[in-house]
Amino acid sequence: MFGWTGKLLHINLGKGKAVADKLDAAMAKDFLGGRGFAARILWDELKQGVDPFSPDNKLVFAAGPLTGFALPSSGKLVVAAKSPLTWGYGDGNIGTFAAVQMRKAGYDTVVVEGKAEGPVILLVRDESAELLDARDLWGLNSFETEKKLADVYGHTAGMLCIGQGGENLVKFANIVSQQGRAGGRPGMGAVMGSKNLKAVVFIGTNELPSAYPKEMKDLGGEAYREVLLKPNYAFWKRQGTMSTIEWSQENSVLPSFNYSEGIFSEADAIGGFATEKIKVSNRGCPQCNMTCGNVVKDSDRKESELDYENVGMLGSNIGVGRLTQVAALNRVADEYGLDTISLGSVLGFAMEASEKGLIKEKVPWGGFKTSKALIKDIAFRQGYLGNLLADGVYSASQEIGKGSDKWAMHVKGLEISAYDCHTTPAMALAYGTCSIGAHHKDAWVIAWEVKVGREGYTAEKVDKVIELQRIRAGVFESLTVCRLPWIEVGLDLEWYPKFLHAATGMEMPWQVLNVVGDRVFNMIRAFWVREYGGKWSSEMDVPPSRWFDEPLTEGPFKGAKLDRIKYDAMLQMYYQKRGWDDRGIPRESTLAGLGLAKVAGELSRHVNLAQ
Ligand code: PTT
Ligand code: SF4
């Protein structure tokens, strides 16, 4: 087998056992890696209804056949499990040496189950896997933990850590690596914490097996050069994702004041150009020559790595207009290991609840100190409000009641990332149907939608959402490489089948890759439907009522809101094009057509499947 290392490692933390398995060649071809492997493994190995915090939940670290090769931006890793936030499929994508080192240690995927008796580190060094006592690390933040590990294993070891958020089972705790790369929005850090797994260290010394090493070397060199020559490369290096703040403001989609508005009066102060003024360096993921992490000094004089989502959610969405303060909130989120998107959403929710007098705590809009203190309360689950918000915005709204569910900004329990959708129905559909709950990663359709015209609820828009979901949610997440060379500087998509050929020896043109993308997407949908059974309905794919019921009150689109009837019609059109029934459940024939007849058989034990 080429491209893939051909091995999976299963770790049982409770039994202290490690078993290496051969990777099934058919699974490799049908699911590629990363998200594809994670979805297949979680479907096959998890019992329906398992509590995400029980030892039976499985935490999957999965790379793909391109991960770690000398190719543009190939240092990415998928972390997946059943999510404690949504009780559905959850994953995230981290750029980290751990991706490269895990593959060099000989594994495409590592699956962790069980629960250790006390805090442990999982150390995988080439063929050997051991559990080490981590009592001295428990209670440390993610940066301190990584520093201690680096002192022992060196800075190039692959390290994945949780902070106090993961230890305290905050349901949107994520996993942190390299002091600022973070992933696993739907609580992957909390699943790690529930297993008493404080950190994972990968060290590998093997060569990655490619079918055509010379072709690989030449293609990699050429593609890296092409990235450098792209016209917007220099600007990308200056601002990375941060220029999106200005773009969102201009287009009235910058989430502000808990997504009640799409513009923010202090947007310029927290945008890409403001970032350049306080930037001290660029950081990034391994194997990348367009490193985009903007490192700035925050108001506490600490380093903080800024991306668009961090700033949209911890800036405009909560009314904080000083960039150094936003950076300080972002830094503490990284230290505690809390997802910044969900964090900005629960803070915005608390501010609105406080303003409306639904909670007794005073949480003012734009309050930097209050926000920082509240973030600590969330990470440690301290006090009524900290503990409430640690369970996410859906749960908090259920507890508070009084109509707060209308402005609890989530889909399927996952907080929405940083694009307001009062005026963008296709982006609302992308959030509604994203495979982990509301995230922009599967189909960032908004830039295209703003160009073609935002008013329509058209078939063309539905097609575009599906096309992006195939490429991004299915293929990029399963090849497990960064999609930004394609999206941000315009590296041609045709490079990827060529890379895949050099790595694996297989010819997989985009027609074939798109089928893999659909297979993975449907597999994940099947997972959700199996979990929710009779409770599943098309309502699961609908964004919060705020966007339908409360128009924007400011900016060029003042008065605009989404139309629920038209959204529902567009959703039904989406289902039809996907081969799903009117509940959003894949038809038996659709699953069978993707080679998932066995999945259909199992799913039909939980819900009636349409033909
Ligand atoms: C991703 C989500 C994003 S998406 C951002 S900023 W973005 C937030 N970053 C966080 C952070 O930082 N610290 C923190 N404590 N929480 C954070 N939560 C948020 O997580 C990230 C980049 C970015 S920056 C994006 S768009 C792209 N995402 C990719 C993806 O999903 N897949 C892929 N194949 N390539 C991608 N390339 C880009 O990677 P999640 P990272 Mg990320 C400080 O984690 O769960 O997937 O959510 O991992 O290594 O930091 O790279 O404007
Ligand atoms: Fe990481 Fe940015 Fe490079 Fe993508 S472009 S691999 S997110 S540094």
Side-chain angles (χ1 to χ4, degrees):
M1 193 172 242
F2 294 105
W4 296 276
T5 66
K7 272 193 298 178
L8 283 80
L9 185 65
H10 286 266
I11 305 284
N12 188 312
L13 294 173
K15 296 182 180 154
K17 260 177 75 176
V19 178
D21 263 349
K22 249 174 92 177
L23 173 66
D24 178 54
M27 166 153 147
K29 193 164 149 283
D30 291 349
F31 290 91
L32 285 178
R35 175 180 266 185
F37 283 3
R40 173 91 249 183
I41 289 167
L42 294 175
W43 172 270
D44 285 346
E45 299 187 14
L46 283 193
K47 269 211 198 100
Q48 187 270 346
V50 70
D51 181 337
F53 285 149
S54 90
D56 293 336
N57 196 5
K58 302 204 178 189
L59 181 61
V60 182
F61 300 101
L66 299 185
T67 310
F69 280 113
L71 302 169
S73 314
S74 72
K76 289 275 185 183
L77 184 72
V78 167
V79 291
K82 180 171 172 184
S83 160
L85 191 61
T86 66
W87 283 62
Y89 173 85
D91 74 12
N93 190 311
I94 319 181
T96 166
F97 285 117
V100 184
Q101 296 281 6
M102 182 182 90
R103 291 258 292 156
K104 289 193 169 172
Y107 302 107
D108 296 307
T109 296
V110 173
V111 184
V112 180
E113 65 181 302
K115 177 178 180 176
E117 260 178 38
V120 291
I121 303 163
L122 168 63
L123 172 65
V124 177
R125 202 193 300 247
D126 287 336
E127 300 298 301
S128 89
E130 48 184 326
L131 296 178
L132 307 173
D133 193 325
R135 271 175 298 188
D136 59 330
L137 299 180
W138 203 256
L140 298 185
N141 72 36
S142 70
F143 286 54
E144 294 161 343
T145 306
E146 187 166 311
K147 182 167 182 324
K148 290 224 174 217
L149 294 174
D151 288 345
V152 180
Y153 302 107
H155 287 274
T156 54
M159 295 171 280
L160 301 166
C161 307
I162 58 167
Q164 296 93 336
E167 292 178 8
N168 294 317
L169 308 186
V170 176
K171 290 187 181 165
F172 49 87
N174 59 11
I175 300 174
V176 183
S177 190
Q178 295 173 215
Q179 310 210 335
R181 323 307 303 164
R185 289 197 54 211
M188 301 301 102
V191 173
M192 227 167 124
S194 75
K195 298 189 171 308
N196 275 332
L197 182 59
K198 178 69 180 170
V200 179
V201 180
F202 292 115
I203 302 172
T205 57
N206 300 302
E207 283 283 308
L208 294 181
S210 65
Y212 300 107
K214 161 101 174 59
E215 186 180 324
M216 179 63 99
K217 190 161 171 259
D218 292 349
L219 279 173
E222 251 179 82
Y224 276 123
R225 262 193 307 281
E226 188 170 318
V227 167
L228 290 179
L229 293 174
K230 290 288 180 188
N232 54 338
Y233 176 81
F235 185 64
W236 171 258
K237 285 282 283 193
R238 277 166 50 194
Q239 297 199 357
T241 57
M242 281 302 298
S243 60
T244 314
I245 292 281
E246 279 92 345
W247 181 87
S248 292
Q249 171 79 355
E250 273 161 32
N251 290 293
S252 216
V253 296
L254 182 67
S256 304
F257 302 100
N258 196 29
Y259 299 83
S260 59
E261 303 294 345
I263 54 169
F264 180 50
S265 58
E266 288 160 284
D268 283 347
I270 58 168
F273 290 98
T275 303
E276 280 195 62
K277 288 198 187 125
I278 59 167
K279 183 166 169 173
V280 293
S281 64
N282 267 92
R283 244 191 241 145
C285 316
Q287 317 289 37
C288 181
N289 69 341
M290 45 183 277
T291 47
C292 67
N294 296 295
V295 183
V296 301
K297 277 265 160 64
D298 71 19
S299 55
D300 296 329
R301 306 300 307 150
K302 288 183 175 175
E303 289 193 342
S304 175
E305 192 180 316
L306 296 182
D307 276 304
Y308 169 71
E309 300 293 328
N310 313 132
V311 178
M313 296 308 296
L314 295 173
S316 53
N317 195 51
I318 60 170
V320 175
R322 277 182 56 190
L323 191 56
T324 52
Q325 293 186 339
V326 178
L329 300 181
N330 179 60
R331 164 81 191 206
V332 290
D334 280 350
E335 288 180 353
Y336 294 136
L338 300 175
D339 172 54
T340 50
I341 297 174
S342 293
L343 186 61
S345 186
V346 297
L347 291 176
F349 177 83
M351 288 170 182
E352 187 158 348
S354 168
E355 182 180 53
K356 291 188 155 96
L358 303 185
I359 51 174
K360 67 176 181 5
E361 291 81 354
K362 297 274 170 272
V363 195
W365 290 112
F368 168 66
K369 281 194 184 148
T370 342
S371 298
K372 203 168 162 199
L374 189 49
I375 293 173
K376 184 171 184 195
D377 288 347
I378 292 169
F380 289 89
R381 283 187 173 274
Q382 283 167 184
Y384 167 76
L385 192 56
N387 194 38
L388 179 77
L389 299 178
D391 285 336
V393 81
Y394 166 73
S395 172
S397 72
Q398 294 300 302
E399 167 77 22
I400 289 179
K402 304 195 174 103
S404 60
D405 57 316
K406 295 189 169 34
W407 37 271
M409 302 306 286
H410 71 95
V411 175
K412 301 184 184 68
L414 182 67
E415 289 76 11
I416 300 175
S417 38
Y419 297 96
D420 182 80
C421 289
H422 277 91
T423 61
T424 52
M427 192 63 217
L429 180 69
Y431 279 141
T433 56
C434 171
S435 48
I436 58 169
H439 201 328
H440 60 290
K441 74 191 294 165
D442 283 8
W444 187 64
V445 72
I446 196 164
W448 174 88
E449 182 174 32
V450 164
K451 259 193 228 144
V452 299
R454 42 184 113 188
E455 308 76 31
Y457 294 67
T458 61
E460 189 195 9
K461 289 193 177 184
V462 173
D463 288 340
K464 193 71 182 176
V465 168
I466 294 175
E467 176 196 326
L468 291 177
Q469 286 174 338
R470 273 187 190 124
I471 300 175
R472 296 167 57 118
V475 181
F476 272 93
E477 291 313 301
S478 302
L479 291 175
T480 325
V481 293
C482 181
R483 60 174 187 254
L484 298 187
W486 163 54
I487 294 166
E488 300 291 352
V489 301
L491 188 71
D492 199 284
L493 278 179
E494 285 311 321
W495 281 102
Y496 292 89
K498 291 187 207 161
F499 296 153
L500 205 50
H501 179 259
T504 65
M506 287 161 53
E507 298 285 355
M508 290 183 101
W510 271 99
Q511 297 93 292
V512 177
L513 290 175
N514 282 337
V515 177
V516 176
D518 278 347
R519 185 177 295 123
V520 173
F521 206 78
N522 276 272
M523 181 91 228
I524 294 177
R525 176 63 52 148
F527 184 95
W528 278 92
V529 175
R530 183 174 70 175
E531 288 301 327
Y532 277 79
K535 290 196 198 130
W536 183 271
S537 83
S538 61
E539 282 300 312
M540 300 284 289
D541 292 333
V542 179
S545 13
R546 161 152 284 166
W547 287 341
F548 296 102
D549 299 338
E550 298 173 29
L552 294 173
T553 69
E554 289 178 359
F557 293 91
K558 190 173 164 180
K561 60 186 173 71
L562 291 178
D563 183 317
R564 178 64 201 256
I565 294 174
K566 289 183 185 166
Y567 179 87
D568 285 347
M570 186 166 69
L571 184 61
Q572 287 302 326
M573 204 189 316
Y574 172 92
Y575 290 163
Q576 273 177 19
K577 285 175 185 278
R578 277 260 175 229
W580 297 353
D581 69 14
D582 60 7
R583 299 165 296 173
I585 297 178
R587 293 175 181 278
E588 203 176 327
S589 52
T590 303
L591 291 172
L594 292 166
L596 300 176
K598 274 197 184 155
V599 171
E602 155 80 7
L603 193 58
S604 65
R605 298 201 298 112
H606 300 273
V607 285
N608 289 328
L609 285 192
Q611 281 306 302

